[in-house]
Amino acid sequence: MIVDCGIYRDGHRAEGPRDFSDALAEARTAGGFVWMGLHEPSVEEFDLVSAEFGLHPLAVEDALKAHQRPKMEIYDDSLFVVLKPVVYEPRSDAVSTGEIMIFLGDSFVVTVRHGEGVGLSVVRRRLEQEPEMLGKGPTAVLYAIADSVVDHYLDVATELQTDLEELEAEVFSPERGSTRHTASGIYNFKRQITEFRRATGPLALPMSRLGGTAQSAFATAVPFVDDKARPFFRDVSDHLTRVNESVESLDRLVSDILSAHLAQTSVQQNDDMRKISAWAAMAAIPTMIAGIYGMNFEHMPELHWIWAYPAVIALMAVLEVLLYQTFKRRGWL
């Protein structure tokens, strides 16, 4: 579905033909660029767009199928960038990801969005209120979208940090709940971190290339992107580095919490086993004595003694008290 299609000249949106093929021709003739936004387009819709804008078939295939890693591909007639915006759902404390594919050409920007995350209409409105920035052409659109996505990463990282503190308090609380529930919560949180990392980690190299800070093999200028925009992309790259460091820290901390929880569970099990062993030892003494006197032999010591029964009961009681005091002193009970 085509969400919006606009022609921009000198930082302002201009009135133009509704047909996007005519809009592209007008933008190339009069100067400016076309920004077309699509949301989960059908094959038929995107075939028309790709044919008119001359998009590479491999990039078109990626845009239609989605489920791509963040990346940047350079083709003869366009630049293809994949971003994965992350959405935090506070009700379920879950992280979900969408996808934004950006085709950047000499006089056009085509954005394809998948998923139910935050749309690009907010970015478009903000850019339309900044004519000086929008006047930089398609590069400004790429920067604004990348900056919006990465800034939202920081918000999600903050939310996850809060969830981690709550999880840590639950694990180390004196009144801990179900061990099974706590363990499942830790594993679920680790899955959220992994999902977050899949969105942020692979994006580091494309942002470094756009910012001009990549290694020598990737340090060349990126086509269709204004070299003067490199400081802006370096700023986005710096924010992304902070996000990736936060993700690594969260992952290490949740692993430490899981190890601490398993250690606590093991200590608790050992303590329970000691208590069971102590009670079993205390039960073994009277069982042994009663078992001996329960044997059917005619000649047994004190069998016909009138005080034999109370003496045996008293002996059992004394032995039980001694065992209880011993186990209590050693912390087994």
Side-chain angles (χ1 to χ4, degrees):
M1 179 179 65
I2 298 177
V3 179
D4 197 356
C5 181
I7 301 176
Y8 297 90
R9 285 194 294 268
D10 299 325
H12 298 277
R13 184 162 182 160
E15 294 295 331
R18 294 186 176 181
D19 184 78
F20 60 83
S21 59
D22 295 336
L24 179 61
E26 180 178 325
R28 284 174 171 168
T29 301
F33 69 95
V34 176
W35 180 1
M36 173 175 286
L38 301 97
H39 179 247
E40 297 182 355
S42 65
V43 176
E44 293 76 14
E45 287 177 333
F46 207 59
D47 282 345
L48 295 174
V49 175
S50 61
E52 187 62 39
F53 287 90
L55 306 180
H56 197 279
L58 292 178
V60 170
E61 182 181 0
D62 289 345
L64 286 173
K65 290 185 177 180
H67 303 294
Q68 304 295 317
R69 298 173 72 251
K71 63 180 180 178
M72 181 175 68
E73 300 285 351
I74 299 174
Y75 298 102
D76 294 335
D77 299 324
S78 62
L79 178 71
F80 180 59
V81 180
V82 178
L83 304 174
K84 293 183 76 70
V86 175
V87 177
Y88 176 81
E89 300 172 1
R91 292 184 178 179
S92 58
D93 293 337
V95 169
S96 60
T97 58
E99 289 186 51
I100 298 176
M101 283 79 168
I102 306 170
F103 295 87
L104 205 71
D106 56 349
S107 55
F108 68 86
V109 179
V110 177
T111 56
V112 182
R113 186 169 61 88
H114 291 268
E116 299 299 328
V118 180
L120 297 178
S121 57
V122 176
V123 178
R124 187 187 289 264
R125 286 195 300 269
R126 188 173 72 245
L127 270 178
E128 289 176 352
Q129 295 173 1
E130 300 179 8
E132 184 177 355
M133 174 65 73
L134 193 56
K136 305 297 182 181
T139 301
V141 178
L142 176 61
Y143 161 71
I145 295 175
D147 184 57
S148 175
V149 169
V150 173
D151 281 348
H152 197 61
Y153 286 165
L154 292 169
D155 297 335
V156 174
T158 302
E159 295 288 348
L160 289 175
Q161 180 65 43
T162 301
D163 289 347
L164 180 63
E165 292 173 357
E166 294 175 356
L167 185 62
E168 186 177 16
E170 179 183 349
V171 169
F172 293 102
S173 172
E175 300 177 355
R176 292 185 298 146
S178 170
T179 299
R180 181 178 302 176
H181 173 75
T182 303
S184 64
I186 296 174
Y187 278 113
N188 180 65
F189 188 83
K190 197 167 181 64
R191 280 201 305 271
Q192 308 307 318
I193 297 298
T194 302
E195 186 72 16
F196 194 20
R197 176 183 284 174
R198 290 196 185 108
T200 63
L203 188 59
L205 180 58
M207 287 298 106
S208 295
R209 293 185 64 182
L210 290 169
T213 58
Q215 299 297 326
S216 58
F218 300 100
T220 57
V222 178
F224 309 107
V225 176
D226 191 348
D227 288 344
K228 294 180 180 179
R230 283 190 169 189
F232 296 94
F233 286 108
R234 280 199 294 270
D235 181 66
V236 176
S237 182
D238 289 342
H239 290 177
L240 182 62
T241 300
R242 287 173 51 195
V243 171
N244 284 325
E245 289 175 351
S246 297
V247 172
E248 291 294 331
S249 176
L250 288 171
D251 188 62
R252 287 195 302 269
L253 286 173
V254 75
S255 297
D256 292 342
I257 290 175
L258 178 59
S259 299
H261 173 67
L262 294 176
Q264 283 183 328
T265 303
S266 178
V267 170
Q268 182 64 42
Q269 290 176 344
N270 290 337
D271 190 50
D272 292 341
M273 287 302 299
R274 286 193 304 178
K275 291 180 179 180
I276 293 172
S277 300
W279 287 111
M282 292 173 62
I285 296 298
T287 302
M288 179 187 69
I289 297 176
I292 292 174
Y293 279 91
M295 293 186 294
N296 296 320
F297 292 110
E298 182 178 355
H299 301 288
M300 293 183 68
E302 296 85 25
L303 189 61
H304 300 287
W305 184 37
I306 192 173
W307 298 107
Y309 178 75
V312 170
I313 296 298
L315 177 63
M316 290 182 183
V318 170
L319 291 176
E320 289 296 300
V321 170
L322 291 176
L323 284 175
Y324 181 82
Q325 291 179 344
T326 302
F327 291 140
K328 191 72 175 178
R329 187 167 55 252
R330 295 187 178 183
W332 284 36
L333 292 176

